[in-house]
Amino acid sequence: MSFPENVLAQDEKVVRHLHPHWFTVLLPTVVGVVVVAAAVVALLVLPDGSVGTVLLWVVLGAAVLVLLLFVLAPYVRWRSTHYVITTHRVMVRRGVLTKSGKDITLAKITDVSFRQTLLDRMIGAGSLHIESAGDSPDEDLVNVPDSDDVQQLINRLVDEDSRGRRGEALS
């Protein structure tokens, strides 16, 4: 689930490596605590005997299923989503079993904007919209920690890349 460093070019450096904001896994964590507490209560209150044993296995099976679907899956999805900003490009990698990714070179980025709801502002997150020139569609990065800072970072890197390319062209 970590980011593969071998996809970087020889002179390329990672400037920022982010996952979506931790707030995205807060609700699944609460669900996990509630499910475990409910399973413990069921263990304590179910009657002894064969009926109680069957009910206990049903409760435990349901708890495991809920934990897998509503706690573990969102956590794995969160950890396997990478927003990587390098000196050459912005990379997005998603997925565990089915992976997807997109690279947008800094030279192709035409605009970076961010959006924050009131809740986003309270937790220090937001969404970034990266517009790129060419045929590829724009990219939306959701629940980015410190989205306004990340937006400024990308804009700065795009400007530096543009100045560097202009300097090479003049040479």
Side-chain angles (χ1 to χ4, degrees):
M1 280 193 259
S2 64
F3 177 74
E5 298 290 331
N6 62 348
V7 300
L8 300 176
Q10 187 173 353
D11 61 339
E12 187 174 16
K13 303 275 187 276
V14 173
V15 178
R16 200 95 173 256
H17 178 193
L18 304 163
H19 295 283
H21 196 277
W22 62 265
F23 195 76
T24 59
V25 290
L26 181 62
L27 182 59
T29 302
V30 170
V31 168
V33 170
V34 168
V35 167
V36 169
V40 168
V41 168
L43 176 68
L44 295 174
V45 300
L46 285 175
D48 291 335
S50 61
V51 172
T53 302
V54 169
L55 287 175
L56 178 63
W57 281 110
V58 169
V59 167
L60 289 178
V64 167
L65 185 63
V66 168
L67 289 173
L68 286 173
L69 294 175
F70 298 104
V71 179
L72 186 62
Y75 180 78
V76 169
R77 197 169 25 256
W78 171 69
R79 286 298 297 166
S80 64
T81 300
H82 300 269
Y83 303 141
V84 182
I85 302 159
T86 74
T87 53
H88 292 33
R89 58 193 161 157
V90 175
M91 295 184 278
V92 180
R93 299 289 187 269
R94 294 181 178 102
V96 176
L97 300 176
T98 302
K99 292 187 166 242
S100 66
K102 182 171 185 178
D103 295 0
I104 305 171
T105 61
L106 296 176
K108 295 241 181 188
I109 294 176
T110 58
D111 185 54
V112 181
S113 56
F114 77 95
R115 181 176 182 277
Q116 288 181 309
T117 64
L118 179 59
L119 178 61
D120 288 337
R121 290 181 66 193
M122 291 169 52
I123 65 171
S127 297
L128 290 178
H129 180 76
I130 301 175
E131 291 182 24
S132 61
D135 295 336
S136 62
D138 299 343
E139 184 67 31
D140 289 313
L141 310 181
V142 182
N143 295 320
V144 177
D146 301 318
S147 60
D148 49 345
D149 291 339
V150 174
Q151 177 207 24
Q152 296 305 314
L153 172 65
I154 295 171
N155 284 332
R156 183 176 53 80
L157 289 170
V158 167
D159 287 343
E160 289 173 5
D161 183 68
S162 175
R163 280 195 301 267
R165 281 184 286 110
R166 275 189 301 226
E168 290 173 6
L170 295 176
S171 302

